[in-house]
Amino acid sequence: KAGVTQTPRYLIKTRGQQVTLSCSPISGHRSVSWYQQTPGQGLQFLFEYFSETQRNKGNFPGRFSGRQFSNSRSEMNVSTLELGDSALYLCASSLGPTDTQYFGPGTRLTVL
Amino acid sequence: QKEVEQDPGPLSVPEGAIVSLNCTYSNSAFQYFMWYRQYSRKGPELLMYTYSSGNKEDGRFTAQVDKSSKYISLFIRDSQPSDSATYLCAMRGNFGNEKLTFGTGTRLTIIP
């Protein structure tokens, strides 16, 4: 069974631009969560989607948004990029909200 | 103060040694406790999953949870160079409080 896939794997943007990251969950998984990982803060929860509905949201500004499609694929968008948004963005999928989360390889975003 | 505290290390031990990794937490609502292993440039992979207090063993790995002290541990016996990675503790509550909260991770190096 294929794992969680994330595209693109690497991205370089400049301040003020916006970016969209994509996540394809494991087949049959309906829950997708997004995390930001930085050396100083570790893994921080961004948001979680289940059946196209956002169930939980972390403490990030409104510049960070996401959505989930009917096939469970998810996208997250960051608008007006700041230098501090440089991080590894990880997507995790699970059968449901209380099930084990399996992580993708992440998208490494660099903001210049 | 963070909800989950984890010593970032780095921790270096000789091959064959017993490794002890620990996390403390402050939220008494946490009921499910996990340990993830993350290799460089990869997403985290689940190692151990424990509910409430007690011990769980899987091969060379043992997870311990002491809810009264709000303290969890991961022990690695007969450590191997392939165990060199960053180890992340994670925890969550029950339904309605399912978002995962992670420690910042401990970087472990096993010296051959």
Side-chain angles (χ1 to χ4, degrees):
Chain A
K1 187 184 265 190
V4 178
T5 58
Q6 291 187 246
T7 57
R9 292 293 311 279
Y10 302 92
L11 207 49
I12 299 175
K13 292 286 187 179
T14 57
R15 280 181 298 174
Q17 287 187 307
Q18 75 166 18
V19 67
T20 299
L21 311 181
S22 180
C23 172
S24 292
I26 293 171
S27 177
H29 285 194
R30 295 169 62 194
S31 182
V32 173
S33 298
W34 288 90
Y35 298 86
Q36 181 195 66
Q37 187 175 31
T38 58
Q41 297 296 317
L43 265 152
Q44 292 187 283
F45 173 76
L46 280 157
F47 24 67
E48 180 211 352
Y49 288 88
F50 177 69
S51 294
E52 300 178 69
T53 301
Q54 186 180 90
R55 295 189 71 251
N56 284 302
K57 189 177 191 305
N59 296 322
F60 279 82
R63 300 185 296 109
F64 292 81
S65 62
R67 58 178 175 168
Q68 187 180 32
F69 302 96
S70 58
N71 62 357
S72 295
R73 191 177 68 84
S74 178
E75 288 181 348
M76 68 163 281
N77 183 277
V78 188
S79 62
T80 319
L81 284 166
E82 300 177 0
L83 295 178
D85 296 334
S86 294
L88 180 67
Y89 289 88
L90 290 159
C91 163
S93 79
S94 58
L95 284 169
T98 60
D99 296 301
T100 301
Q101 293 188 14
Y102 297 89
F103 283 83
T107 294
R108 173 77 61 185
L109 172 64
T110 302
V111 182
L112 302 176
Chain B
Q1 186 183 1
K2 293 185 177 182
E3 276 189 298
V4 180
E5 299 281 355
Q6 184 176 8
D7 187 338
L11 180 64
S12 295
V13 301
E15 183 176 354
I18 296 175
V19 176
S20 172
L21 303 168
N22 312 293
C23 288
T24 59
Y25 63 96
S26 57
N27 189 342
S28 57
F30 289 146
Q31 298 284 340
Y32 298 87
F33 304 90
M34 287 136 272
W35 286 94
Y36 283 84
R37 177 175 62 195
Q38 186 175 22
Y39 290 114
S40 180
R41 301 187 183 280
K42 301 277 190 179
E45 59 174 322
L46 182 68
L47 270 180
M48 301 289 283
Y49 184 100
T50 312
Y51 171 68
S52 196
S53 286
N55 295 355
K56 184 175 183 179
E57 188 173 318
D58 184 0
R60 297 185 296 111
F61 298 90
T62 299
Q64 287 185 352
V65 175
D66 181 348
K67 288 188 67 183
S68 62
S69 302
K70 295 189 176 67
Y71 188 88
I72 70 170
S73 301
L74 177 71
F75 297 96
I76 307 174
R77 291 183 299 280
D78 187 25
S79 55
Q80 305 293 312
S82 58
D83 295 329
S84 298
T86 296
Y87 289 80
L88 300 146
C89 63
M91 45 200 81
R92 66 172 180 85
N94 279 323
F95 190 82
N97 188 21
E98 309 101 343
K99 89 173 172 66
L100 277 180
T101 302
F102 283 82
T104 50
T106 300
R107 181 177 290 184
L108 172 68
T109 301
I110 307 299
I111 304 166

